[in-house]
Amino acid sequence: MSDIERRDDLLTAVALTEFSAHTEDIDPELSRRAWQLAVSRLIKYDVQPEDAVDELEIGE
């Protein structure tokens, strides 16, 4: 697995988490599905959701 693929997966997980948070009140089922997809990508790399941004070194 390449570093680029890992970074893409983690970035996607962050975006899905953000999407999930913003759609929770609008469409709870869609929000839940986005969260599940995010978690599946994070599990692949053994990264906790709160650590994903740090793993990507965003804002540094």
Side-chain angles (χ1 to χ4, degrees):
M1 187 156 319
S2 73
D3 287 340
I4 293 172
E5 183 179 357
R6 180 180 185 279
R7 183 171 173 78
D8 286 350
D9 281 347
L10 292 177
L11 188 57
T12 299
V14 170
L16 285 165
T17 300
E18 188 74 16
F19 178 82
S20 175
H22 287 287
T23 59
E24 191 170 22
D25 293 334
I26 300 165
D27 189 336
E29 182 58 28
L30 181 61
S31 174
R32 183 188 67 75
R33 183 66 183 131
W35 176 246
Q36 287 176 334
L37 289 169
V39 168
S40 71
R41 291 177 189 271
L42 295 173
I43 287 171
K44 182 177 179 180
Y45 299 101
D46 193 29
V47 174
Q48 296 295 316
E50 60 272 12
D51 298 330
V53 172
D54 290 340
E55 288 281 328
L56 289 166
E57 299 175 352
I58 294 173
E60 293 185 12

